[in-house]
């Protein structure tokens, strides 16, 4: 997830193929998000499903353990617990690659679910509209990256996202504007622009991401 | 208990089927998608239907199938199994019903005891929520809502208790011999005292209030 910290300014003196370059970068970035989405689905449909299927099978084995062997029953139960731990770790990895809720339900539900895992109170104002895997992925990780950079005990943050013409406009309020590069890292590859304003500790970061 | 099962992953479906039988439950049918489950239950009776959330009809066939089943067989319990315990799905499940429903991770119903306990509670009309999810909902964003339950007035507690039983505002009003308007006012006070901000939907806050209450009750026992 590396990209240029900020997009080069578009001046009138730029070479004529700058626009073509940008289109190429955008396409590569969109393909990158598609790859991440596929990997996440593969993790779910393959390894995770096979591991969860082992748990009831072990449960059946437990019913055949003679009453006289409580140790054996306890060891199988221990194995089942360990499989749950493995699955929880796979879920964390899936979330880091491309959150399943983002894929299935969109930006609003995914950000609200994320807010349950953060220490800082996050208010989410995002409608049900869908914007495609690349734009939604970039917006989601821009927000979560920004939240992760907040010091513990920070005041509540507000996140809104809405369509304006052919762009998704993402606004974070109550965040330090110095976190803007975290947002830029995610959205600039897709041709997005980031602006900031307000106080050093409680300002706003706004990103406009073209979404066609 | 009579149980029907719909799950598109063949390995997990077979494993769960064997476990249900080992637990002594009668499995009236085991199918791979939601439409087949509806067809099956047109001819067979079941106490609880077990549904995978993510199965055909795509993308979340378990939820649309459950809506149809609740309509066709209002007394049938619904147990949703999923690979993910997320509040987004819990809210959608509670929109389908707040009585005789359960939402659990697939690998957490892997023993005869847990499976039978979960099915029994659902058949008795309870809401069964994956503990890790219920805990996260009640504890976020701050772990102080439980104490907040103690600040509720006796009448507000009555209202919250009836909400936890899955009753509507009108149902609560009838039970307490007050007007629905008065119930709304109590609910607004409950939300405010429990610190449930207005960013969520009314339904979301209602569920959080109920979960907070359920948890405070559990810890008093």
């Amino acid at each position: 997830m590396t990209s240029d910290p900020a997009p080069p300014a578009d001046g009138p003196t730029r070479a004529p193929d700058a626009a073509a370059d940008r289109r190429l970068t955008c396409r590569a970035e969109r393909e990158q998000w598609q790859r991440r989405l596929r990997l996440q689905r593969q993790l779910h449909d393959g390894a995770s499903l096979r591991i969860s299927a082992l748990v009831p099978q072990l449960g059946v084995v437990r019913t055949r353990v003679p009453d006289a062997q409580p140790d054996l029953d306890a060891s199988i139960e221990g194995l089942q617990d360990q499989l749950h731990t493995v699955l929880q770790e796979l879920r964390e990895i899936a979330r880091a690659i491309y959150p399943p809720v983002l894929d299935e339900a969109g930006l609003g539900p995914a950000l609200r679910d994320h807010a349950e895992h953060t220490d800082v109170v996050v208010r989410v104002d995002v409608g049900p509209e869908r914007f495609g895997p690349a734009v939604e992925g970039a917006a989601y990780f821009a927000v979560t990256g920004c939240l992760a950079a907040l010091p513990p005990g920070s005041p509540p943050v507000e996140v809104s996202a809405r369509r304006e013409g052919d762009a998704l406009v993402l606004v974070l309020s109550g965040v330090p504007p110095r976190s803007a590069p975290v947002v830029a890292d995610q959205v600039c590859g897709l041709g997005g622009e980031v602006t900031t304003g307000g106080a050093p500790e409680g300002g706003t970061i706004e990103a406009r991401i073209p979404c066609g | 208990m009579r149980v029907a099962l719909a799950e598109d992953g063949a390995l997990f479906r077979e494993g769960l089927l064997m476990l249900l039988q080992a637990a002594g439950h009668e499995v009236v049918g085991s199918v791979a998608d939601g439409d087949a489950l509806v067809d099956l239950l047109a001819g067979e009776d079941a106490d609880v239907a077990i549904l995978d959330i993510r199965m055909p009809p795509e993308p979340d066939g378990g939820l649309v199938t459950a809506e149809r089943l609740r309509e066709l067989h209002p007394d049938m319990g619904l147990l949703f199994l999923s690979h993910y315990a997320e509040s987004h799905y819990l809210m959608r499940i509670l929109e389908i019903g707040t009585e005789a429903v359960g939402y659990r991770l697939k690998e957490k119903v892997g023993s005869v005891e847990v499976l039978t306990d979960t099915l029994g509670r659902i058949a008795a009309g309870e809401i069964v929520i994956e503990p890790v999810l219920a805990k996260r909902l009640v504890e976020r964003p701050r772990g102080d809502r439980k104490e907040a339950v103690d600040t509720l007035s006796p009448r507000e507690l009555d209202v919250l208790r009836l909400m936890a039983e899955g009753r509507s505002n009108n149902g609560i009003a009838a039970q307490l011999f007050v007007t629905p308007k008065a119930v709304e006012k109590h609910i607004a006070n409950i939300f405010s005292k429990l610190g449930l901000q207005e960013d969520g939907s009314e339904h979301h806050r209602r569920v959080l209030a109920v979960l907070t209450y359920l948890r405070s009750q559990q810890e008093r026992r």
Side-chain angles (χ1 to χ4, degrees), chain B residues 26 49 92 143 195:
Chain B
E26 183 189 344
R92 293 199 53 191

Side-chain angles (χ1 to χ4, degrees), chain A residues 154-178:
Chain A
S154 293
V157 170
E158 283 180 33
V159 180
S160 76
R162 65 189 183 280
R163 179 188 280 278
E164 271 185 24
D166 61 354
L168 172 69
V169 177
L170 177 71
V171 182
L172 289 123
S173 310
V175 293
R178 65 173 175 279

Side-chain angles (χ1 to χ4, degrees), chain A residues 21-37:
Chain A
D21 278 357
R22 210 166 44 217
R23 272 198 301 276
L24 271 180
T25 312
C26 273
R27 197 168 71 195
E29 190 77 10
R30 275 198 299 271
E31 279 167 8
Q32 177 81 357
W33 284 109
Q34 290 287 357
R35 251 196 312 275
R36 284 173 69 152
L37 180 54

Side-chain angles (χ1 to χ4, degrees), chain B residues 172-186:
Chain B
I172 296 172
Q175 192 81 15
L176 297 179
F177 302 104
V178 296
T179 63
K181 199 108 202 121
V183 171
E184 277 173 32
K185 212 171 142 234
H186 288 309

Side-chain angles (χ1 to χ4, degrees), chain A residues 68-126:
Chain A
Q69 297 195 2
D71 305 358
L72 188 53
D73 183 67
S75 352
I76 302 174
E77 190 179 10
L79 288 177
Q80 290 182 310
D81 289 344
Q82 286 181 46
L83 291 178
H84 168 61
T85 307
V86 172
L87 286 167
Q88 289 290 64
E89 285 173 10
L90 288 177
R91 286 177 183 116
E92 285 306 312
I93 295 170
R95 224 194 299 274
I97 299 174
Y98 199 98
V101 177
L102 182 61
D103 176 20
E104 288 171 24
L107 199 52
L111 287 176
R112 278 186 279 272
D113 279 352
H114 179 80
E116 285 166 15
H117 298 266
T118 59
D119 286 327
V120 175
V121 177
V122 183
R123 298 195 186 99
V124 179
D125 177 16
V126 180

